[in-house]
Amino acid sequence: MSIRLNRAQPYALGLFRFVIGFLFACHGAASLFGVLGGAMGGTLPAGSWPGWYAAVIQLVGGTLVALGLGTRVAALVSSGSMAYAYFKVHQPESLFPLQNGGEASAVFCWAFLLLVFTGSGALALDRLFSSRDDSGAESGPAREKAPAVSV
């Protein structure tokens, strides 16, 4: 069973990356454009600190992570923005995320930090533009690698 799970690991990571990125981008779209329920019933005023900037990071970072394009950098910026949101907005209200409404910020922060270290997994656009794998080693013909895109 472990062998089968190990073979599926890049695909599970790719699915995880896509779902986390998509959900994050949805938060940004809701805040910027008022879609999907909007930000508390509307949109954020352009340039308002920190909400509008966070929403731009959510939309752009989430889209890049979902597509697997510049995953590690986009995930690092996204993780940092969620750490900032947690410690500046939620944590002063109460110590624990369940009490201060910061569960989403905490989960997104840690999920993106995980992607910084694991890379994009399978089915990422990064793999179309790079001859290197996630570890930085040149990929050779004998080296098995997850496909970039499956149709």
Side-chain angles (χ1 to χ4, degrees):
M1 183 155 146
S2 290
I3 293 171
R4 286 186 183 155
L5 291 175
N6 287 341
R7 283 189 201 142
Q9 185 177 4
Y11 298 98
L13 183 57
L15 181 61
F16 174 80
R17 172 192 44 80
F18 176 79
V19 170
I20 291 295
F22 176 74
L23 293 174
F24 200 57
C26 286
H27 276 275
S31 299
L32 291 173
F33 308 118
V35 297
L36 306 170
M40 296 166 275
T43 61
L44 296 172
S48 63
W49 178 259
W52 186 83
Y53 293 95
V56 170
I57 290 171
Q58 290 168 359
L59 181 62
V60 174
T63 300
L64 290 173
V65 167
L67 294 173
L69 191 58
T71 302
R72 289 180 179 210
V73 173
L76 182 64
V77 171
S78 298
S79 177
S81 76
M82 288 296 95
Y84 178 87
Y86 182 77
F87 286 111
K88 288 301 249 182
V89 176
H90 299 287
Q91 197 273 332
E93 299 296 320
S94 179
L95 180 62
F96 296 108
L98 189 59
Q99 295 172 323
N100 64 29
E103 301 99 331
S105 296
V107 169
F108 276 128
C109 178
W110 286 104
F112 284 121
L113 190 62
L114 178 67
L115 289 171
V116 170
F117 288 97
T118 61
S120 58
L123 308 174
L125 290 180
D126 280 342
R127 295 184 184 272
L128 294 176
F129 301 112
S130 175
S131 63
R132 295 177 168 263
D133 65 10
D134 284 336
S135 67
E138 289 289 337
S139 57
R143 185 171 174 94
E144 186 177 322
K145 182 168 133 178
V149 179
S150 175
V151 226

CSV table of all heavy atoms in Angstrom, one decimal, residues 9-46:
chain,number,residue,atom,x,y,z
A,9,GLN,N,1.7,10.5,-4.5
A,9,GLN,CA,2.0,11.6,-3.7
A,9,GLN,C,2.1,12.9,-4.5
A,9,GLN,O,1.5,13.9,-4.2
A,9,GLN,CB,3.3,11.4,-2.9
A,9,GLN,CG,3.7,12.6,-2.0
A,9,GLN,CD,4.9,12.3,-1.2
A,9,GLN,OE1,5.6,11.2,-1.4
A,9,GLN,NE2,5.3,13.2,-0.3
A,10,PRO,N,2.8,13.0,-5.7
A,10,PRO,CA,2.8,14.2,-6.5
A,10,PRO,C,1.5,14.7,-6.9
A,10,PRO,O,1.2,15.9,-7.0
A,10,PRO,CB,3.7,13.9,-7.7
A,10,PRO,CG,4.5,12.6,-7.3
A,10,PRO,CD,3.6,11.9,-6.3
A,11,TYR,N,0.6,13.7,-7.2
A,11,TYR,CA,-0.8,14.1,-7.7
A,11,TYR,C,-1.6,14.6,-6.5
A,11,TYR,O,-2.4,15.5,-6.7
A,11,TYR,CB,-1.4,12.9,-8.4
A,11,TYR,CG,-0.7,12.5,-9.6
A,11,TYR,CD1,0.2,11.4,-9.5
A,11,TYR,CD2,-0.8,13.2,-10.8
A,11,TYR,CE1,1.0,11.0,-10.6
A,11,TYR,CE2,-0.1,12.8,-11.9
A,11,TYR,CZ,0.8,11.7,-11.8
A,11,TYR,OH,1.5,11.4,-12.9
A,12,ALA,N,-1.5,14.0,-5.4
A,12,ALA,CA,-2.2,14.5,-4.2
A,12,ALA,C,-1.7,15.9,-3.8
A,12,ALA,O,-2.5,16.7,-3.5
A,12,ALA,CB,-2.0,13.5,-3.0
A,13,LEU,N,-0.4,16.1,-3.9
A,13,LEU,CA,0.2,17.4,-3.6
A,13,LEU,C,-0.3,18.4,-4.6
A,13,LEU,O,-0.7,19.6,-4.3
A,13,LEU,CB,1.7,17.4,-3.6
A,13,LEU,CG,2.4,18.6,-3.3
A,13,LEU,CD1,2.0,19.2,-1.9
A,13,LEU,CD2,3.9,18.4,-3.3
A,14,GLY,N,-0.4,18.0,-5.9
A,14,GLY,CA,-0.9,18.9,-6.9
A,14,GLY,C,-2.4,19.3,-6.7
A,14,GLY,O,-2.8,20.4,-6.9
A,15,LEU,N,-3.2,18.3,-6.3
A,15,LEU,CA,-4.6,18.6,-6.0
A,15,LEU,C,-4.7,19.5,-4.8
A,15,LEU,O,-5.5,20.4,-4.8
A,15,LEU,CB,-5.3,17.2,-5.7
A,15,LEU,CG,-6.8,17.4,-5.4
A,15,LEU,CD1,-7.6,18.0,-6.6
A,15,LEU,CD2,-7.4,16.0,-5.1
A,16,PHE,N,-3.9,19.2,-3.7
A,16,PHE,CA,-3.9,20.1,-2.6
A,16,PHE,C,-3.5,21.5,-2.9
A,16,PHE,O,-4.2,22.5,-2.5
A,16,PHE,CB,-2.9,19.5,-1.5
A,16,PHE,CG,-2.6,20.4,-0.3
A,16,PHE,CD1,-3.5,20.4,0.7
A,16,PHE,CD2,-1.5,21.2,-0.3
A,16,PHE,CE1,-3.3,21.2,1.8
A,16,PHE,CE2,-1.3,22.0,0.9
A,16,PHE,CZ,-2.2,22.0,1.9
A,17,ARG,N,-2.5,21.7,-3.8
A,17,ARG,CA,-2.1,23.0,-4.2
A,17,ARG,C,-3.2,23.7,-5.0
A,17,ARG,O,-3.5,24.9,-4.7
A,17,ARG,CB,-0.8,22.9,-5.1
A,17,ARG,CG,-0.4,24.2,-5.8
A,17,ARG,CD,0.6,23.9,-6.9
A,17,ARG,NE,0.3,22.8,-7.8
A,17,ARG,CZ,-0.5,22.8,-8.8
A,17,ARG,NH1,-1.2,23.9,-9.1
A,17,ARG,NH2,-0.6,21.7,-9.6
A,18,PHE,N,-3.9,23.0,-5.9
A,18,PHE,CA,-4.9,23.6,-6.6
A,18,PHE,C,-6.1,24.0,-5.7
A,18,PHE,O,-6.6,25.2,-5.9
A,18,PHE,CB,-5.4,22.6,-7.7
A,18,PHE,CG,-6.6,23.2,-8.5
A,18,PHE,CD1,-6.4,24.1,-9.5
A,18,PHE,CD2,-7.9,22.9,-8.1
A,18,PHE,CE1,-7.5,24.7,-10.1
A,18,PHE,CE2,-9.0,23.4,-8.8
A,18,PHE,CZ,-8.8,24.4,-9.8
A,19,VAL,N,-6.5,23.2,-4.8
A,19,VAL,CA,-7.7,23.5,-4.0
A,19,VAL,C,-7.3,24.7,-3.1
A,19,VAL,O,-8.1,25.6,-3.0
A,19,VAL,CB,-8.1,22.3,-3.2
A,19,VAL,CG1,-9.1,22.7,-2.1
A,19,VAL,CG2,-8.7,21.2,-4.1
A,20,ILE,N,-6.2,24.7,-2.4
A,20,ILE,CA,-5.8,25.8,-1.5
A,20,ILE,C,-5.7,27.1,-2.3
A,20,ILE,O,-6.2,28.1,-1.9
A,20,ILE,CB,-4.5,25.5,-0.8
A,20,ILE,CG1,-4.7,24.3,0.2
A,20,ILE,CG2,-3.9,26.7,-0.1
A,20,ILE,CD1,-5.6,24.6,1.3
A,21,GLY,N,-5.1,27.0,-3.5
A,21,GLY,CA,-4.9,28.2,-4.3
A,21,GLY,C,-6.3,28.8,-4.8
A,21,GLY,O,-6.5,30.0,-4.8
A,22,PHE,N,-7.1,27.9,-5.2
A,22,PHE,CA,-8.4,28.3,-5.7
A,22,PHE,C,-9.3,28.9,-4.6
A,22,PHE,O,-9.9,30.0,-4.8
A,22,PHE,CB,-9.2,27.1,-6.3
A,22,PHE,CG,-10.6,27.4,-6.7
A,22,PHE,CD1,-10.8,28.1,-7.9
A,22,PHE,CD2,-11.7,26.9,-5.9
A,22,PHE,CE1,-12.1,28.4,-8.3
A,22,PHE,CE2,-13.0,27.2,-6.3
A,22,PHE,CZ,-13.2,27.9,-7.5
A,23,LEU,N,-9.3,28.3,-3.4
A,23,LEU,CA,-10.0,28.9,-2.3
A,23,LEU,C,-9.5,30.3,-1.9
A,23,LEU,O,-10.3,31.2,-1.6
A,23,LEU,CB,-10.0,27.9,-1.1
A,23,LEU,CG,-10.8,26.6,-1.3
A,23,LEU,CD1,-10.6,25.7,-0.1
A,23,LEU,CD2,-12.3,26.9,-1.6
A,24,PHE,N,-8.2,30.4,-1.9
A,24,PHE,CA,-7.6,31.7,-1.6
A,24,PHE,C,-7.9,32.7,-2.6
A,24,PHE,O,-8.2,33.9,-2.2
A,24,PHE,CB,-6.0,31.5,-1.5
A,24,PHE,CG,-5.3,32.5,-0.7
A,24,PHE,CD1,-5.6,32.7,0.6
A,24,PHE,CD2,-4.2,33.2,-1.3
A,24,PHE,CE1,-4.9,33.7,1.4
A,24,PHE,CE2,-3.5,34.1,-0.5
A,24,PHE,CZ,-3.9,34.4,0.8
A,25,ALA,N,-7.9,32.4,-3.9
A,25,ALA,CA,-8.2,33.3,-4.9
A,25,ALA,C,-9.7,33.7,-4.8
A,25,ALA,O,-10.0,34.9,-5.1
A,25,ALA,CB,-7.9,32.7,-6.3
A,26,CYS,N,-10.5,32.8,-4.4
A,26,CYS,CA,-11.9,33.2,-4.2
A,26,CYS,C,-12.1,34.2,-3.2
A,26,CYS,O,-13.0,35.1,-3.3
A,26,CYS,CB,-12.8,31.9,-3.9
A,26,CYS,SG,-13.0,30.8,-5.3
A,27,HIS,N,-11.4,34.2,-2.1
A,27,HIS,CA,-11.4,35.2,-1.1
A,27,HIS,C,-11.0,36.5,-1.6
A,27,HIS,O,-11.7,37.6,-1.3
A,27,HIS,CB,-10.5,34.8,0.1
A,27,HIS,CG,-11.1,33.9,1.1
A,27,HIS,ND1,-11.8,34.4,2.2
A,27,HIS,CD2,-11.0,32.6,1.2
A,27,HIS,CE1,-12.2,33.3,2.9
A,27,HIS,NE2,-11.7,32.2,2.3
A,28,GLY,N,-10.0,36.6,-2.4
A,28,GLY,CA,-9.5,37.8,-3.0
A,28,GLY,C,-10.6,38.4,-4.0
A,28,GLY,O,-10.9,39.6,-4.0
A,29,ALA,N,-11.2,37.5,-4.8
A,29,ALA,CA,-12.2,38.0,-5.8
A,29,ALA,C,-13.4,38.5,-5.1
A,29,ALA,O,-14.0,39.5,-5.5
A,29,ALA,CB,-12.6,36.8,-6.7
A,30,ALA,N,-13.8,37.9,-4.0
A,30,ALA,CA,-14.9,38.3,-3.2
A,30,ALA,C,-14.7,39.7,-2.6
A,30,ALA,O,-15.6,40.6,-2.7
A,30,ALA,CB,-15.2,37.3,-2.1
A,31,SER,N,-13.5,39.9,-2.1
A,31,SER,CA,-13.2,41.2,-1.5
A,31,SER,C,-13.0,42.3,-2.6
A,31,SER,O,-13.4,43.5,-2.3
A,31,SER,CB,-11.9,41.1,-0.7
A,31,SER,OG,-12.1,40.2,0.3
A,32,LEU,N,-12.4,42.0,-3.7
A,32,LEU,CA,-12.1,43.0,-4.7
A,32,LEU,C,-13.3,43.3,-5.6
A,32,LEU,O,-13.5,44.5,-6.0
A,32,LEU,CB,-11.0,42.6,-5.6
A,32,LEU,CG,-9.6,42.5,-4.9
A,32,LEU,CD1,-8.6,41.9,-5.8
A,32,LEU,CD2,-9.2,43.9,-4.5
A,33,PHE,N,-14.1,42.3,-6.0
A,33,PHE,CA,-15.2,42.5,-7.0
A,33,PHE,C,-16.6,42.2,-6.4
A,33,PHE,O,-17.5,42.4,-7.2
A,33,PHE,CB,-14.9,41.5,-8.2
A,33,PHE,CG,-13.5,41.7,-8.7
A,33,PHE,CD1,-12.6,40.6,-8.7
A,33,PHE,CD2,-13.1,42.9,-9.2
A,33,PHE,CE1,-11.4,40.7,-9.2
A,33,PHE,CE2,-11.8,43.0,-9.7
A,33,PHE,CZ,-10.9,41.9,-9.7
A,34,GLY,N,-16.7,41.9,-5.2
A,34,GLY,CA,-18.0,41.6,-4.6
A,34,GLY,C,-18.7,40.4,-5.1
A,34,GLY,O,-19.9,40.2,-4.8
A,35,VAL,N,-18.0,39.5,-5.7
A,35,VAL,CA,-18.6,38.2,-6.2
A,35,VAL,C,-18.6,37.2,-5.0
A,35,VAL,O,-17.9,37.4,-4.0
A,35,VAL,CB,-17.8,37.6,-7.4
A,35,VAL,CG1,-17.9,38.5,-8.6
A,35,VAL,CG2,-16.3,37.4,-7.1
A,36,LEU,N,-19.3,36.2,-5.1
A,36,LEU,CA,-19.3,35.1,-4.1
A,36,LEU,C,-19.7,35.6,-2.7
A,36,LEU,O,-19.2,35.2,-1.7
A,36,LEU,CB,-18.0,34.4,-4.1
A,36,LEU,CG,-17.5,33.8,-5.4
A,36,LEU,CD1,-16.0,33.4,-5.2
A,36,LEU,CD2,-18.4,32.7,-5.9
A,37,GLY,N,-20.5,36.6,-2.7
A,37,GLY,CA,-20.9,37.2,-1.4
A,37,GLY,C,-20.2,38.5,-1.0
A,37,GLY,O,-20.7,39.2,-0.1
A,38,GLY,N,-19.1,38.7,-1.6
A,38,GLY,CA,-18.4,40.0,-1.3
A,38,GLY,C,-17.8,40.0,0.0
A,38,GLY,O,-17.9,39.1,0.8
A,39,ALA,N,-17.0,41.1,0.3
A,39,ALA,CA,-16.4,41.3,1.6
A,39,ALA,C,-17.4,42.0,2.5
A,39,ALA,O,-17.6,43.2,2.4
A,39,ALA,CB,-15.1,42.1,1.4
A,40,MET,N,-18.0,41.2,3.4
A,40,MET,CA,-19.0,41.8,4.3
A,40,MET,C,-20.0,42.6,3.6
A,40,MET,O,-20.4,43.7,3.9
A,40,MET,CB,-18.3,42.6,5.4
A,40,MET,CG,-17.3,41.8,6.2
A,40,MET,SD,-16.2,42.8,7.2
A,40,MET,CE,-14.9,43.1,6.0
A,41,GLY,N,-20.5,42.0,2.5
A,41,GLY,CA,-21.6,42.6,1.7
A,41,GLY,C,-21.2,43.6,0.7
A,41,GLY,O,-22.1,44.2,0.1
A,42,GLY,N,-20.0,43.8,0.4
A,42,GLY,CA,-19.6,44.7,-0.7
A,42,GLY,C,-18.1,44.5,-1.1
A,42,GLY,O,-17.6,43.4,-1.1
A,43,THR,N,-17.5,45.5,-1.6
A,43,THR,CA,-16.1,45.4,-2.0
A,43,THR,C,-15.3,46.4,-1.1
A,43,THR,O,-15.8,47.3,-0.5
A,43,THR,CB,-15.9,45.9,-3.5
A,43,THR,OG1,-16.4,47.2,-3.6
A,43,THR,CG2,-16.7,45.0,-4.4
A,44,LEU,N,-14.0,46.1,-1.1
A,44,LEU,CA,-13.1,47.0,-0.3
A,44,LEU,C,-12.7,48.2,-1.2
A,44,LEU,O,-12.4,48.0,-2.4
A,44,LEU,CB,-11.8,46.2,0.0
A,44,LEU,CG,-12.0,45.0,0.9
A,44,LEU,CD1,-10.7,44.2,1.1
A,44,LEU,CD2,-12.5,45.5,2.3
A,45,PRO,N,-12.6,49.3,-0.6
A,45,PRO,CA,-12.1,50.5,-1.3
A,45,PRO,C,-10.7,50.3,-1.8
A,45,PRO,O,-9.8,49.8,-1.1
A,45,PRO,CB,-12.2,51.7,-0.3
A,45,PRO,CG,-13.0,51.2,0.8
A,45,PRO,CD,-12.9,49.7,0.8
A,46,ALA,N,-10.5,50.7,-3.1
A,46,ALA,CA,-9.1,50.5,-3.7
A,46,ALA,C,-8.1,51.3,-2.9
A,46,ALA,O,-8.2,52.4,-2.5
A,46,ALA,CB,-9.1,51.0,-5.1
